[in-house]
Every structure is written in C-alpha cells, then in structure tokens.
Amino acid sequence: MMMSELVNHQRVKTNGIWIHVAEQGTGPLVLLLHGFPEIWYSWRHQLNYLAQNGYHAVAPDLRGYGDSDSPLDPNSYTVQHIVGDLIGLLDHFGEQQAFVVGSDWGANIGWNLCLFRPDRVKGFVPPGVPYLPRSPTAKTVETIRKIYGDESHVCQFQEAGRAERAFARYDCLTVMKKFLLMTTDFLVAPPGVEIIDFLPTPSVLPSWITEEELMVFADKFQESGFTGPLNYYRAMDLNWELLAPWQGSKIIVPTKYIAGDKDIGFEEGGMKDFVESDVFKSIVPNLETVILDGHHFIHQEKAQQVSDEILCFIRKLSLD
C-alpha cells in the first residue's frame, strides 16, 4: 500500500507514564492495540488504510514496549493499568468514544476495556483472541499449567529473567522471526527446552513481510528489551484476582471477532468449537464472527482482508 500521508508520532502523558503513539488521518478515532512481541508498527497497513477512509487511526506502543515508558515492577502491568493508559489516551484526544481493534495481548486489553468502560467503546474488533470467561476457582497460570504443563510459554515466562536470558542467545531479528512467523499449533516446548529454542527460524520469509519490516521490530526491541512485554505474563495471576468483581459479566459492546483458521490452538486446541458455541455468543451477545485463512498475526499476514473487515464493521456502526 502507498502511504497516503506521513505517520505522526508523539508521546502522551497518561496514567502517570509516557505512552508513544503513532497516528494517521482525521475523523472518528480508531485505537489499534498490538500484542506480543510487537509495537505500533504491526498496524502500519491499517493505519494507512483507515486514514485513507476518513478515520483518525492511533496505534500506541503499549506500556513496556517501544518508545513508551516501561515500569520495572510486574505488578504495574495489570489490565487495570493498561486500560487506564488507554482511557487517558481517549481523554487526550478529546474523544468520549473510540472504535477499538486489538490483537493478541492487545485483544485481551481491548476485551477488558469493553468490560470496564463500555461507555468509551463504540465497537471492538479482536483478531485472534476471544473473550475467555474468568474461572471462579483457579488462577490463570495454574489453569494453563494444568492443561499444557510447565513448558508452555505462559509458564516459562513467569520467572523473572528466565526468558530474557534465553532470548539473549539470539539476535533480535531472529527472535522476531521465531515469534511473528510461527506456525506451531501450541506454544509448548519439550521438557527442559526453552520456548525460544523450540520455535524454528524460517529460512524463507513469507510474502507478507520483508526483512526490512522485521528489522523495524528488531531494532526497537534491541533498544527497549523484553522485560516490559514479559511482565504482562507475570501479572496474569494478579489480573485474575483483580477481575473478581466482574465475575460473570458480559461484554455488551458490539464486537466483530476475526480468527485465523491456522491460529495457535484454533483447530486442535478447541478454540474453533468455543468461538462457534452458544457460550461465546451468550457472554458476547452483540457478536459477529469471521474466520479467515491465516495464522496468529493475521492483521499483518492478511492485512487487506483484515483492514476491509474492520472498515466494514465500523462504518456499519457509524450509521447506527
């Protein structure tokens, strides 16, 4: 895609920290939330496309990432903290409501933004990650360990410094290739093997990303490191405790869930059955579901299709 205009960059003070945002276009606000291990740049295609079609597209580096502040304490990475950052961004831009799009961890944050402050979200598009109801009895990491074992990425990422030391055995470009281009069914390593060692490094890049684009991610992680991003995983059990007041709550915001049919655990892990079930529709009653041919980072892999789905959805909501 040709860039219709330059991307503008600024740092915004919100919730006690500085958040870097990339923005393009004017019009209704669309907030684009990246996942792990990404930065604002993962939304480069959608920023340009939404700007061309009359929207103000804003993609922050979430706290801990890129050019945003990165608090040291893992307890500063709860969903309450991140959602608080986003509310501050909406206030900064003078918007009562925004359309929100979120992938991977960005989807999880977006679901919680919809849960805490549905009055601030006009519509939500979460590629890849459905809304999973909170267990009333078992903490998140405990549940994942019970299902997938100690060598799942979530369990390996809990120990401070462990994943950072493992990642440091590779250059950042290789780390990006291993994660952003992964095609594995589950992020579970064999016993005694680190996730980063388990993930293969593709020898040939897929057509949807270039070495130069991967270097944008790699250069930024070389500067900022991985501890901030990994702290999201280290706050998962604290999130479980803090989310207790919303036990049993539904997501009432209009939502368009987009899944890649080759995403991690989609077929074999039971995700397909869940997202097509009455349970998912009951907890997200205002729901559309779209399944595309693709993997986990589908907003980059199938950028035009995902952009079209986003635009179609928010245009429809704009008419309501």
Side-chain angles (χ1 to χ4, degrees):
M1 294 181 200
M2 295 297 292
M3 285 297 199
S4 61
E5 56 184 284
L6 291 176
V7 176
N8 179 55
H9 296 267
Q10 61 170 308
R11 273 162 58 90
V12 177
K13 189 68 176 289
T14 167
N15 197 21
I17 65 171
W18 289 95
I19 292 288
H20 164 256
V21 301
E23 57 181 326
Q24 204 170 347
T26 57
L29 179 62
V30 185
L31 197 59
L32 302 160
L33 310 177
H34 67 78
F36 175 92
E38 297 178 289
I39 54 174
W40 73 268
Y41 187 70
S42 66
W43 296 108
R44 60 200 176 280
H45 305 293
Q46 287 77 25
L47 276 168
N48 186 53
Y49 188 70
L50 291 166
Q52 288 178 333
N53 283 280
Y55 291 89
H56 179 200
V58 173
D61 286 336
L62 296 177
R63 72 162 59 201
Y65 284 88
D67 292 319
S68 293
D69 285 355
S70 185
L72 293 176
D73 188 350
N75 293 342
S76 295
Y77 290 82
T78 70
V79 288
Q80 271 86 352
H81 287 91
I82 320 298
V83 169
D85 298 344
L86 301 180
I87 293 296
L89 288 183
L90 296 189
D91 291 345
H92 169 80
F93 289 112
E95 297 286 354
Q96 175 56 34
Q97 284 194 316
F99 299 102
V100 178
V101 182
S103 172
D104 189 78
W105 263 104
N108 186 46
I109 300 303
W111 284 117
N112 283 286
L113 174 59
C114 294
L115 185 66
F116 302 155
R117 295 299 304 273
D119 59 309
R120 304 301 298 268
V121 185
K122 178 74 172 173
F124 180 44
V125 181
V129 179
Y131 181 59
L132 299 173
R134 175 187 181 273
S135 165
T137 56
K139 290 187 176 182
T140 307
V141 177
E142 175 189 328
T143 300
I144 291 170
R145 181 174 283 112
K146 192 172 182 180
I147 298 171
Y148 297 109
D150 289 331
E151 306 307 334
S152 74
H153 73 295
V154 170
C155 295
Q156 286 196 4
F157 289 175
Q158 295 304 306
E159 181 187 333
R162 175 181 173 178
E164 290 93 327
R165 289 190 296 272
F167 287 14
R169 294 199 293 269
Y170 301 88
D171 61 86
C172 282
L173 179 60
T174 301
V175 174
M176 291 301 107
K177 287 179 178 178
K178 282 173 171 283
F179 277 107
L180 296 182
L181 308 181
M182 64 183 174
T183 57
T184 182
D185 286 331
F186 296 104
L187 271 178
V188 182
V193 177
E194 297 294 322
I195 281 289
I196 195 69
D197 298 329
F198 168 68
L199 289 172
T201 305
S203 56
V204 178
L205 296 183
S207 61
W208 54 268
I209 200 163
T210 66
E211 191 95 359
E212 291 73 22
E213 288 173 318
L214 284 165
M215 279 304 302
V216 175
F217 293 97
D219 287 345
K220 193 51 63 179
F221 279 99
Q222 182 65 42
E223 291 176 22
S224 62
F226 291 95
T227 297
L230 289 163
N231 279 340
Y232 283 67
Y233 294 91
R234 293 163 187 164
M236 287 175 81
D237 278 348
L238 181 54
N239 281 336
W240 180 86
E241 296 178 19
L242 295 172
L243 285 168
W246 289 272
Q247 183 71 42
S249 294
K250 296 182 179 184
I251 301 293
I252 62 172
V253 172
T255 300
K256 184 178 211 173
Y257 172 73
I258 301 173
D261 63 354
K262 300 174 185 66
D263 200 347
I264 302 164
F266 185 72
E267 286 279 0
E268 293 182 22
M271 197 66 74
K272 182 175 187 290
D273 291 338
F274 174 72
V275 301
E276 293 178 347
S277 72
D278 292 336
V279 175
F280 190 34
K281 294 179 179 67
S282 70
I283 57 178
V284 188
N286 201 345
L287 175 71
E288 295 178 41
T289 298
V290 176
I291 298 175
L292 302 178
D293 172 24
H295 297 85
H296 186 61
F297 297 103
I298 197 165
H299 57 298
Q300 296 192 69
E301 181 185 5
K302 295 296 173 68
Q304 190 59 57
Q305 281 181 273
V306 171
S307 296
D308 287 339
E309 293 288 354
I310 294 168
L311 183 63
C312 177
F313 181 65
I314 64 179
R315 275 183 168 166
K316 184 182 72 174
L317 290 177
S318 298
L319 297 174
D320 292 347

